[in-house]
Amino acid sequence: MSAPDLDGAFALFWDDLLFEAEASAEPQARAFFQLYSDLATQNGDCTDLAYAPVRKEGRGGFRIDGYALEADRGDLYLAISDFRPGRQLESLNAAQIDALFEQVRRFCELAVQPGFLNGIEETSPTFEAAWTIYSYRSKIRRIRVIALSNARLATRRKPEMTGEVLGVPFVCSVLDFARYVDIQNAHGGAEPIEIDVTALNGAPLPCLPAHTVGGDYASYLIAIPGPLLSEIYGLYGARLLEQNVRTFLQARTKVNAGIIKTLETVPEMFFAYNNGLTATASGVTTAKLPDGTLGISSIENLQIVNGGQTTASILYAKDQRKADLAGVFVQMKLSVVRPDRLEEIVPKISRFANTQNKVSEADFFSSHPVHLVLEQISRRQTAPAKAGSLSGSKWFYERARGQYRDRLAYGTAAERRRFELEFPKDQFIDKTELAKFEMTFACLPHIVSRHAQKCFLEFAERVAKMWETSEATFNEHWFRCAVAKTIAFHWTDRMVGRSEWYQQDRGFKIQIVTYTIAWLVEKLRAEGRELDLEVIWQRQELPEEIGAALRELAPQVAATVKAAPPQVKNIDSYCKLQACWAAVSGSDYTLDARLEGFTIDAAEADRARKSATAAKRADKDIDFDSMLVRLLGDADPVVQFARSRRMLTPNSDAALRRLIRGDIRLPAAERNALKYLLEKMIQAGFEFPMTSA
């Protein structure tokens, strides 16, 4: 990206940062960490990070700003912020980066010393982070450090291993501002990974061309050496996993004892015993090998869609068991897909490659059709006007990352202004945020406290089951309730952040917020009542009476979640346990606020949900019949789109032929097949022509 483009992006970044700081009632440095760490997590650079501003200035100083531990895989993630408060984009050089990593290194070395732990306050962020390293030292087999900076590196640095710390590899990467913008703008929402095979392997990788379909698709069969695979995964980690299932593959990718045993006892038989990998790429560079055969010298946008457990186990065997991988080879089917068809084809390869695994449909929830339904509702449902406003606006549900930003980036200034008036910036909901709000109101605050990825996984399981039972559950009423929950959560988040008691003892705000709301919902549930979410939707703000209850409860809940049992040294970990929710839900807090007029009988609320579901089913049939009438006039665009993507079945093809002949009386089998086809086409991006006025 050119310097002028980066300067423009930097101005937009500051708009985002100031909005985040205002909305969360947090300092700019904290808002910066949230923006960057969220993007790094989505990109696979790290898992969800707990914010922990740890620092000591001066000689022998140390510093980190966030941490996370994936104990099953032995990955310790540490982040350090390089936040520049200036409004002009600054430069970042190698010496500054190395100095940041050195501060992280010193903290790691101090954290395992009992004397260091004994000298710090147990309730401090420093103790929280240090205790995690100290208590899990024997399970840590790789330390992954990411530097977060809103300055620009002159030359981009790929992840690199910079020696060892605590006897394990110390892998460092940088998320500077130029890379931050590139990830935001990345096609398909993922930053491409470019592997220089020749540099890592010492020579191009022998391959066998297997299959080619025009210019859209090509396939290669490869026997990838164990040392090369372990090195690539050691450097890039979860970024190698295909994005649509990254959250789920990362959460479930554990070391396999059988694979480890094979690597230790008969490594030369690994190729025969293991199923191998399925991977995709957007391009490869090939070269002739000395013997005249073909080799791959580089791979663009490499993603593993099946075989994450194999890959993780090979790295574990190398790091922890010191296994000799010299004789290990892993079979890999590499599918090279044209860049402009990646979004369409790669998720299908991923889905089909995992059909023989324990990867469920919920694991593909990032591309689940429920998101399209919610997106469509959000674009057409106008919210009531807020107090003092003459007209209503809409809530923007972001199905794919970057949709809102993309809409703001195009068009004239007047068009962008109209869009912002229709979809204000503070009326934005994305998938992971929705999961947090819904799970809070489902009285599962300990799940929310496990941070975005794990919360999203649990949410996916619940929603996938609801969708399977009845797609009509996700209707306008459901969306209005989701918006009301969003309003309640955001209000509580701001209230806690601005409270004097919180500012005197900052930390664990998200946990306090989710537990506070969940306690109130659970108390009302026990009384056979629910918060009247329609009232919140109609007002487009939280009524003061509900706010008074949450304001009264929050400091009491905070005291409970921070009063972890003596054997639990880490409050962040405690909040993730069912035991913490049991302690909070079993507490009898003082609640003097009156909620009459702002709650509804639970049976009445259930009737409203059922009525909305029934209405949605009826509307869906009416919508389909209207679509049939439209297709009588011109079904050719549907036929062409479906044929080009090989989506037609015999019944759907027969139905379209009837419509072309002017016959709308479809047999049940053809009607159902056509309905299914149209739903799949919409999910694939087909847009039906608008009818003339």
Side-chain angles (χ1 to χ4, degrees):
M1 182 175 284
S2 66
D5 289 339
L6 268 184
D7 289 337
F10 195 66
L12 292 174
F13 160 75
W14 266 100
D15 289 344
D16 291 342
L17 179 64
L18 294 174
F19 179 83
E20 176 70 21
E22 172 65 22
S24 62
E26 292 283 11
Q28 289 181 7
R30 173 69 175 89
F32 164 81
F33 178 86
Q34 194 64 49
L35 288 176
Y36 264 68
S37 64
D38 283 351
L39 194 72
T41 300
Q42 293 170 22
N43 194 55
D45 287 278
C46 59
T47 188
D48 292 301
L49 297 168
Y51 182 59
V54 173
R55 65 202 64 214
K56 177 191 173 186
E57 305 294 343
R59 187 176 180 181
F62 54 81
R63 186 174 152 209
I64 68 165
D65 288 276
Y67 70 95
L69 176 70
E70 292 291 335
D72 291 330
R73 292 186 298 278
D75 283 338
L76 172 67
Y77 295 91
L78 298 172
I80 183 168
S81 292
D82 173 46
F83 171 57
R84 313 285 182 94
R87 299 302 181 91
Q88 297 297 317
L89 182 59
E90 300 178 22
S91 297
L92 179 65
N93 59 45
Q96 292 170 321
I97 287 292
D98 292 340
L100 291 172
F101 290 142
E102 183 59 30
Q103 291 184 77
V104 178
R105 185 186 298 268
R106 282 198 292 268
F107 178 73
C108 290
E109 292 169 343
L110 287 170
V112 296
Q113 300 177 20
F116 177 75
L117 282 167
N118 292 333
I120 53 181
E121 172 58 47
E122 287 195 11
T123 59
S124 68
T126 303
F127 185 88
E128 290 272 337
W131 178 257
T132 298
I133 299 173
Y134 178 83
S135 58
Y136 285 95
R137 180 180 180 179
S138 63
K139 293 188 176 182
I140 296 171
R141 66 176 188 270
R142 187 167 296 259
I143 301 173
R144 299 185 185 274
V145 184
I146 182 167
L148 313 173
S149 177
N150 62 331
R152 181 188 184 186
L153 266 174
T155 304
R156 182 164 298 183
R157 288 171 58 157
K158 292 184 177 181
E160 57 183 340
M161 194 178 86
T162 58
E164 293 189 347
V165 174
L166 307 183
V168 300
F170 193 72
V171 181
C172 299
S173 60
V174 181
L175 179 55
D176 73 322
F177 184 70
R179 185 169 168 237
Y180 178 89
V181 173
D182 284 348
I183 294 172
Q184 282 191 323
N185 297 334
H187 183 69
E191 180 191 29
I193 297 174
E194 297 184 7
I195 306 296
D196 188 338
V197 176
T198 302
L200 294 174
N201 192 50
L205 195 59
C207 67
L208 178 65
H211 185 59
T212 301
V213 179
D216 290 348
Y217 166 81
S219 186
Y220 298 85
L221 299 179
I222 303 167
I224 184 168
L228 175 60
L229 182 59
S230 68
E231 184 169 3
I232 293 173
Y233 192 69
L235 290 173
Y236 291 97
R239 285 181 61 194
L240 285 175
L241 302 178
E242 195 270 317
Q243 175 154 13
N244 282 295
V245 292
R246 178 181 295 146
T247 298
F248 314 97
L249 292 179
Q250 190 176 10
R252 297 177 179 183
T253 299
K254 299 180 181 179
V255 172
N256 183 291
I259 293 176
I260 298 297
K261 184 176 180 180
T262 300
L263 291 167
E264 290 182 324
T265 57
V266 282
E268 70 280 2
M269 297 301 294
F270 191 84
F271 187 91
Y273 294 165
N274 187 265
N275 289 332
L277 313 178
T278 301
T280 64
S282 61
V284 295
T285 302
T286 58
K288 286 289 185 181
L289 299 177
D291 63 0
T293 59
L294 194 65
I296 293 177
S297 57
S298 67
I299 305 175
E300 298 174 21
N301 202 4
L302 176 65
Q303 291 187 310
I304 294 173
V305 301
N306 181 261
Q309 187 178 65
T310 293
T311 308
S313 298
I314 288 175
L315 181 61
Y316 178 89
K318 175 190 174 186
D319 286 350
Q320 293 296 94
R321 303 293 184 88
K322 307 303 179 185
D324 183 3
L325 302 180
V328 174
F329 289 86
V330 184
Q331 57 181 309
M332 180 169 78
K333 181 180 76 174
L334 178 64
S335 298
V336 180
V337 181
R338 202 174 70 195
D340 63 345
R341 299 201 65 187
L342 280 173
E343 287 185 86
E344 173 194 352
I345 295 177
V346 172
K348 293 179 181 178
I349 295 175
S350 177
R351 184 183 297 268
F352 299 143
N354 284 287
T355 54
Q356 296 178 347
N357 300 357
K358 292 182 180 178
V359 179
S360 69
E361 283 298 304
D363 293 347
F364 298 91
F365 188 67
S366 292
S367 55
H368 195 282
V370 70
H371 301 302
L372 181 66
V373 170
L374 296 180
E375 176 189 52
Q376 292 170 340
I377 294 173
S378 78
R379 302 304 190 268
R380 66 174 181 259
Q381 182 146 44
T382 301
K386 296 180 181 179
S389 298
L390 296 177
S391 62
S393 53
K394 297 175 182 176
W395 284 77
F396 191 98
Y397 181 74
E398 188 171 74
R399 174 174 56 88
R401 193 180 77 204
Q403 282 182 311
Y404 188 87
R405 179 179 295 275
D406 288 346
R407 288 292 301 271
L408 284 176
Y410 301 106
T412 65
E415 289 171 339
R416 292 196 296 271
R417 177 61 180 157
R418 282 197 298 272
F419 176 77
E420 286 187 275
L421 287 173
E422 184 177 14
F423 297 99
K425 196 170 186 177
D426 61 350
Q427 294 181 189
F428 168 91
I429 309 173
D430 68 19
K431 291 180 288 193
T432 53
E433 290 281 286
L434 178 65
K436 182 169 62 178
F437 307 146
E438 288 293 322
M439 297 301 275
T440 293
F441 275 80
C443 295
L444 296 168
H446 55 296
I447 302 297
V448 177
S449 298
R450 293 172 189 173
H451 303 302
Q453 289 194 31
K454 290 184 173 65
C455 177
F456 187 69
L457 176 59
E458 295 289 340
F459 175 64
E461 296 283 357
R462 292 170 63 90
V463 171
K465 290 177 183 176
M466 292 167 62
W467 179 269
E468 187 175 345
T469 301
S470 175
E471 298 176 14
T473 299
F474 301 93
N475 49 56
E476 284 77 4
H477 175 76
W478 193 96
F479 183 77
R480 291 196 300 270
C481 290
V483 169
K485 295 169 186 176
T486 302
I487 292 170
F489 197 101
H490 283 166
W491 186 94
T492 309
D493 185 69
R494 288 192 299 272
M495 178 271 293
V496 170
R498 294 168 180 168
S499 298
E500 184 177 349
W501 57 267
Y502 176 78
Q503 293 178 2
Q504 292 174 353
D505 182 19
R506 287 184 177 273
F508 313 107
K509 186 175 71 164
I510 182 66
Q511 292 89 339
I512 295 169
V513 171
T514 185
Y515 271 94
T516 297
I517 295 173
W519 187 92
L520 180 59
V521 172
E522 178 68 18
K523 175 178 171 57
L524 291 173
R525 180 186 292 174
E527 298 172 355
R529 303 197 66 75
E530 297 181 13
L531 284 175
D532 193 342
L533 298 175
E534 284 286 355
V535 170
I536 301 175
W537 164 262
Q538 288 297 330
R539 296 190 180 193
Q540 288 295 293
E541 63 181 11
L542 194 72
E544 175 55 35
E545 290 81 355
I546 300 176
L550 294 169
R551 190 181 292 110
E552 189 177 357
L553 289 169
Q556 300 177 72
V557 172
T560 302
V561 299
K562 292 184 178 182
Q567 68 272 23
V568 180
K569 299 289 186 181
N570 189 300
I571 295 173
D572 183 71
S573 297
Y574 176 56
C575 290
K576 299 173 183 178
L577 302 177
Q578 175 75 38
C580 184
W581 174 230
V584 172
S585 61
S587 297
D588 188 19
Y589 298 128
T590 300
L591 181 59
D592 294 327
R594 308 299 295 272
L595 294 176
E596 287 84 354
F598 300 97
T599 64
I600 186 173
D601 182 78
E604 183 180 347
D606 190 53
R607 284 194 296 272
R609 286 188 286 267
K610 290 179 179 178
S611 175
T613 300
K616 176 70 172 181
R617 288 197 189 101
D619 288 345
K620 196 169 184 180
D621 285 337
I622 293 171
D623 288 343
F624 179 67
D625 288 334
S626 299
M627 184 64 68
L628 292 182
V629 173
R630 290 173 58 186
L631 290 177
L632 281 174
D634 184 11
D636 286 341
V638 172
V639 173
Q640 292 171 10
F641 186 93
R643 281 181 179 164
S644 68
R645 286 160 176 76
R646 300 180 181 178
M647 301 171 76
L648 286 175
T649 65
N651 278 329
S652 61
D653 186 47
L656 287 169
R657 290 177 184 276
R658 284 181 187 273
L659 292 174
I660 291 172
R661 295 197 303 266
D663 184 0
I664 200 171
R665 297 168 299 175
L666 304 180
E670 293 180 10
R671 179 183 174 89
N672 291 335
L674 182 58
K675 183 182 293 187
Y676 181 78
L677 171 67
L678 297 179
E679 289 174 355
K680 291 300 180 185
M681 287 176 58
I682 292 172
Q683 293 168 24
F686 181 78
E687 295 184 4
F688 287 93
M690 297 297 294
T691 55
S692 57

